[in-house]
């Protein structure tokens, strides 16, 4: 038995089932009688609990740290320890999904400059509609700012389509120095090879069977699957496009990102562009990470 609550329950059980006196039950359990008789004077905090439940229902895959950030944005003065206590008492703990086996060993990262458009990552994720028909989503992520630059769902995406989407994205955002991807047929097609040569963009292919070398986009794919794809039933391509576009906007502008000191990717990109300073804001636990460290950690 750990904690006063468990000891109180044990004393109450001995008194009710075995008809022991309070003194004898406390002696058996090893509890102090003052502790057993204590009644908390703590206020019920009904409003805060209600708002915490509402946020947890809206963001079902968010843990207490991100919920704490959202409450702070709304002006809630409570500290993270109180939020964690209420989070546990309300039974809002996120169920952990089964983790995949992780690679063991050291690997040398590709170092890039701490600025937007230094390196992009591309990859596909797959899902299916309610009718059972499968579709795929082309995700494009800026590895430095962690922004999702594009999330394009369709039933079929060829190499020519990838090249066309990249051309439109460059017209809006500018040309990247490097693009990283796996050896998928869409990324190794003649259309992509010609596109990278025409636009003078270095295209880096990760080693076969080594998705950890493309860790930024793999991490993003995991967040998308956990928070959107596994939580949403898509009824058609139009529904998927609107839901994914809405989630992408929320990811860039509202969702706290733990690798950026719990800033949003859009806010971090603005600070990086305006000041040139690569230092992120401290996380709620007091952990500070710089953009150089974030980039080298890949």
């Amino acid at each position: 038995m750990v904690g006063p609550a468990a000891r109180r329950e044990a004393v109450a059980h001995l008194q009710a089932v075995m008809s022991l006196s309070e003194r004898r039950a406390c002696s058996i359990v090893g509890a102090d009688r003052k502790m057993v008789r204590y009644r908390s004077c703590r206020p019920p905090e009904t409003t805060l609990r209600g708002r915490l439940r509402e946020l947890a229902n809206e963001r079902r895959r968010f843990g207490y740290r991100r919920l704490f950030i959202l409450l702070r944005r709304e002006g809630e003065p409570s500290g993270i320890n109180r939020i964690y206590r209420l989070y546990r008492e309300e039974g809002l703990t996120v169920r952990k999904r089964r983790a995949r086996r992780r690679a063991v060993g050291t690997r040398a990262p590709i170092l890039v400059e701490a600025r937007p458009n230094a390196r992009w990552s591309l990859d596909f994720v797959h899902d299916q509609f309610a009718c059972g028909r499968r579709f795929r989503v082309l995700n494009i992520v800026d590895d430095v700012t962690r922004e999702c630059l594009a999330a394009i769902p369709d039933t079929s995406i060829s190499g020519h389509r990838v090249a066309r989407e990249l051309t439109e994205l460059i017209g809006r955002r500018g040309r990247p120095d490097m693009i990283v991807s796996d050896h998928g047929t869409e990324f190794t097609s003649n259309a992509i090879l010609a596109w990278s040569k025409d636009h003078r963009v270095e295209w880096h292919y990760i080693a076969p069977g080594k998705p950890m070398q493309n860790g930024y986009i793999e991490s993003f794919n995991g967040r998308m699957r956990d928070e959107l794809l596994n939580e949403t039933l898509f009824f058609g391509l139009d529904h998927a496009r609107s839901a994914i576009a809405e989630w992408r906007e929320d990811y860039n502008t509202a969702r706290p990102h733990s690798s950026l000191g719990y800033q949003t990717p859009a806010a971090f990109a603005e600070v990086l562009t305006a000041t040139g300073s690569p230092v992120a804001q401290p996380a709620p636990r007091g952990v500070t990470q710089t953009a150089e460290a974030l980039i080298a950690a890949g």
Side-chain angles (χ1 to χ4, degrees):
M1 291 175 292
V2 179
R7 294 180 184 273
R8 289 193 197 100
E9 291 179 1
V11 170
H13 175 77
L14 291 176
Q15 288 181 293
V17 176
M18 304 184 67
S19 301
L20 297 181
S21 66
E22 181 185 90
R23 185 187 301 274
R24 179 60 176 160
C26 289
S27 176
I28 294 174
V29 175
D32 189 277
R33 296 177 67 188
K34 293 180 181 179
M35 180 269 292
V36 172
R37 295 178 179 181
Y38 174 77
R39 294 296 177 265
S40 175
C41 300
R42 181 181 289 157
E45 300 170 320
T46 307
T47 303
L48 179 56
R49 290 174 184 268
R51 183 54 184 158
L52 186 61
R53 286 195 300 269
E54 290 177 3
L55 287 176
N57 290 330
E58 294 173 4
R59 313 271 187 165
R60 289 178 289 183
R61 300 304 300 175
F62 275 22
Y64 74 94
R65 290 186 180 90
R66 286 195 172 89
L67 295 177
F68 166 72
I69 296 296
L70 297 179
L71 288 171
R72 272 295 173 89
R73 289 180 184 173
E74 297 177 358
E76 173 57 46
S78 300
I80 193 169
N81 291 332
R82 174 182 290 178
I83 299 302
Y84 177 65
R85 174 177 59 81
L86 299 179
Y87 177 83
R88 292 293 299 271
E89 291 177 359
E90 294 296 321
L92 302 176
T93 305
V94 177
R95 180 178 62 86
K96 292 184 179 180
R97 293 194 169 104
R98 195 171 172 182
R100 296 184 300 175
R101 182 179 300 173
R102 297 183 180 274
V104 178
T106 58
R107 52 188 180 274
I110 302 174
L111 299 178
V112 295
E113 187 179 353
R115 61 176 178 80
N117 290 346
R119 188 176 72 181
W120 294 357
S121 296
L122 277 71
D123 199 10
F124 286 100
V125 291
H126 299 78
D127 203 6
Q128 63 181 14
F129 301 122
C131 63
R133 185 182 183 186
R134 298 190 63 82
F135 70 97
R136 58 196 330 205
V137 184
L138 172 63
N139 288 329
I140 306 175
V141 172
D142 189 308
D143 290 352
V144 176
T145 65
R146 306 297 204 276
E147 293 173 283
C148 175
L149 307 181
I152 305 158
D154 212 330
T155 54
S156 176
I157 301 178
S158 63
H160 289 282
R161 173 73 180 278
V162 173
R164 187 168 69 250
E165 296 292 345
L166 288 173
T167 301
E168 295 178 2
L169 183 57
I170 287 177
R172 299 194 306 267
R173 184 180 175 88
R175 181 172 59 87
D177 295 339
M178 178 187 293
I179 292 179
V180 182
S181 74
D182 56 22
H183 287 77
T185 55
E186 299 83 6
F187 302 139
T188 57
S189 63
N190 291 331
I192 290 298
L193 297 177
W195 181 91
S196 62
K197 181 179 179 180
D198 294 341
H199 290 79
R200 301 188 303 279
V201 175
E202 180 183 357
W203 199 292
H204 174 77
Y205 293 101
I206 63 175
K210 300 290 185 180
M212 70 287 294
Q213 294 181 1
N214 204 9
Y216 295 109
I217 191 70
E218 293 292 342
S219 175
F220 174 81
N221 290 346
R223 301 286 75 73
M224 170 180 276
R225 183 164 299 284
D226 186 48
E227 298 176 11
L228 176 67
L229 301 183
N230 289 345
E231 299 290 323
T232 308
L233 182 62
F234 300 104
F235 297 101
L237 187 57
D238 292 337
H239 179 210
R241 285 171 175 167
S242 62
I244 291 174
E246 183 179 351
W247 183 85
R248 171 181 167 270
E249 180 68 19
D250 179 82
Y251 179 90
N252 286 334
T253 61
R255 180 186 184 275
H257 201 298
S258 58
S259 295
L260 303 178
Y262 288 91
Q263 298 180 89
T264 63
F268 181 75
E270 290 179 1
V271 173
L272 201 62
T273 303
T275 64
S277 174
V279 179
Q281 294 297 321
R285 286 291 184 185
V287 179
T288 304
Q289 293 178 314
T290 62
E292 291 93 345
L294 296 173
I295 297 163

